[in-house]
């Protein structure tokens, strides 16, 4: 697979693999043996960039995803990059599948988190360490100072922030240079495009999460799709509700037609669109399926011209679409 550079010197596969859904958020955790095979297949297919977080797991096994990646990626550790995240936990008293997020970025807690993540990931360094959400009680400058120390100690090589705005990024970057932000970005969620000039100015990359609007833009789901009420976030996501399916009919038809015109699938088109926008955008689509893994990786080979991208943007500005999931509630 082609590679891309985030920040000044962090080279990763042009498409990364989002690993959350293997253990968290999209129904019951998947079979560990199957996911281990999938991760090996990903490496074989040229994926080098793997995304996880300390909180991707279940009530019984809250860090299951890091544990899975640590074991499965160990044979390939010297030729892949792992990104993980710190600084939040879930409010487990909530009955919702997508539990409210409680940010906590106290420096002593970050230090405990990094040691535990290193242990679960079976490694001596994390390639990129993201603050998962801002903590209103801890200035980002204090978090950045901890990151600088962790880099000095060789425990992390790069750092980033997730769901961050331009001002916070500037403040963080001034203390310890940021390599990438990890923000929600898809054809249905384009609000961070306004940050592109700042990212360009600071030479900070964008790792685009939920790049297919939580899978919705693959055109695979319809009003009959079933989501586990206890463990599947999509159950409550606006784009997957029955009335939204109706509202999004034209959007899904448009993306299917456009994909067909490029001999691509809707998933590939979603990814190719953002890859073609900027050389410093790296989407991390999530999948637990070997065929879809190869399909999504194939997006790295589809190039759209600047004119094609502009026309897609113009169409997206006009097409009727429902609201889209913007993230779980954060309790400050
Ligand atoms: N920083 C943050 O706060 C944050 C938040 C959310 C997610 N993330 C990261 O971003 C990654 C990706 O986001 P996401 O998983 O939420 O959304 P996504 O990548 O937009 O969509 C993933 C969903 O789409 C399905 N899918 C994937 N490829 C497909 C294809 N080619 N055709 C049909 N269906 C396909 C997957 O199902 P199958 O498994 O059945 O293929 C999965 O349910 C996560 O894994 C996680 O690492 C970060």
């Amino acid at each position: 697979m082609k590679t891309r550079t985030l920040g000044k010197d962090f080279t990763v596969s042009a498409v990364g693999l989002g690993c959350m859904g293997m253990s968290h958020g999209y129904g019951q955790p998947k079979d560990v043996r199957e996911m281990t095979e999938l991760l090996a297949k990903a490496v074989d297919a040229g994926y080098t960039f793997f995304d996880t977080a300390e909180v991707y797991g279940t009530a019984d096994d809250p860090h299951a995803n890091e544990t899975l990646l640590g074991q499965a990626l160990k044979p390939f550790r010297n030729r892949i990059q792992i990104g993980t995240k710190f600084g939040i936990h879930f409010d487990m008293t909530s009955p919702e599948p997508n539990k409210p997020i409680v940010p906590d970025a106290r420096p002593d807690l970050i230090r405990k988190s990094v040691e535990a993540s290193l242990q679960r990931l079976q490694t001596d360094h994390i390639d990129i360490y993201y603050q998962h959400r801002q903590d209103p009680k801890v200035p980002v400058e204090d978090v950045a100072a901890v990151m600088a120390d962790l880099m000095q100690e060789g425990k992390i090589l790069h750092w980033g922030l997730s769901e961050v705005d331009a001002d916070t990024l500037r403040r963080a970057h001034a203390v310890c240079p940021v390599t990438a932000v990890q923000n929600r970005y898809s054809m249905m969620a384009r609000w961070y495009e306004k940050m592109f000039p700042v990212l360009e100015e600071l030479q900070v990359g964008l790792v685009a999460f939920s790049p297919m609007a939580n899978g919705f833009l693959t055109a695979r789901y319809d009003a009959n799709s079933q989501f586990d009420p206890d463990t599947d976030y999509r159950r409550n996501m606006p784009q997957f509700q029955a009335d939204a399916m109706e509202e999004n009919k034209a959007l899904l038809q448009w993306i299917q037609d456009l994909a067909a015109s490029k001999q691509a699938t809707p998933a590939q088109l979603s990814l190719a669109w953002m890859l073609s926008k900027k050389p410093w955008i790296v989407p991390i689509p999530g999948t637990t399926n070997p065929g879809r893994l190869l399909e999504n990786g194939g997006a790295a080979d589809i190039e759209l011209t600047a004119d094609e991208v502009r026309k897609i943007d113009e169409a997206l500005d006009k097409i009727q679409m429902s609201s889209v999931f913007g993230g779980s509630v954060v309790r400050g």
Side-chain angles (χ1 to χ4, degrees), residues 72-149:
L73 294 174
K74 200 174 173 186
F76 318 109
R77 183 65 189 99
N78 61 0
R79 51 188 169 111
I80 55 137
Q81 303 84 38
I82 299 177
T84 192
K85 316 184 192 84
F86 65 91
I88 62 167
H89 59 264
F90 295 114
D91 173 3
M92 296 306 281
T93 62
S94 164
E96 300 299 327
N98 35 353
K99 315 237 174 280
I101 289 172
V102 184
D104 190 344
R106 285 172 293 165
D108 57 334
L109 195 68
I110 299 177
R111 289 225 155 250
K112 284 191 188 126
S113 285
V114 77
E115 295 302 336
S117 287
L118 286 168
Q119 204 163 24
R120 285 188 293 266
L121 290 167
Q122 302 194 36
T123 185
D124 61 358
H125 70 279
I126 291 163
D127 298 277
I128 185 162
Y129 201 35
Y130 305 96
Q131 182 176 13
H132 212 146
R133 292 288 184 276
Q134 299 313 294
D135 181 347
K137 295 187 289 302
V138 180
V140 75
E141 288 82 354
D142 294 1
V143 175
V146 179
M147 295 301 118
D149 288 346

Side-chain angles (χ1 to χ4, degrees), residues 17-21 26 30 51-52 56 85 132-133 162-163 182 184 208-216 218 220-221 234 265 267 284-289 292 295-296:
L17 182 61
C19 300
M20 179 184 79
Y26 292 141
K30 306 295 179 285
D51 189 73
T52 181
Y56 293 165
K85 316 184 192 84
H132 212 146
R133 292 288 184 276
S162 179
E163 290 294 74
Q182 183 177 135
R184 184 181 307 274
F209 80 75
S210 302
M212 300 169 310
N214 312 95
F216 185 81
T218 65
R220 168 180 161 209
Y221 302 93
R234 289 169 297 189
T265 66
I284 49 165
T287 186
T288 55
N289 174 281
R292 294 192 277 277
E295 177 186 335
N296 298 344

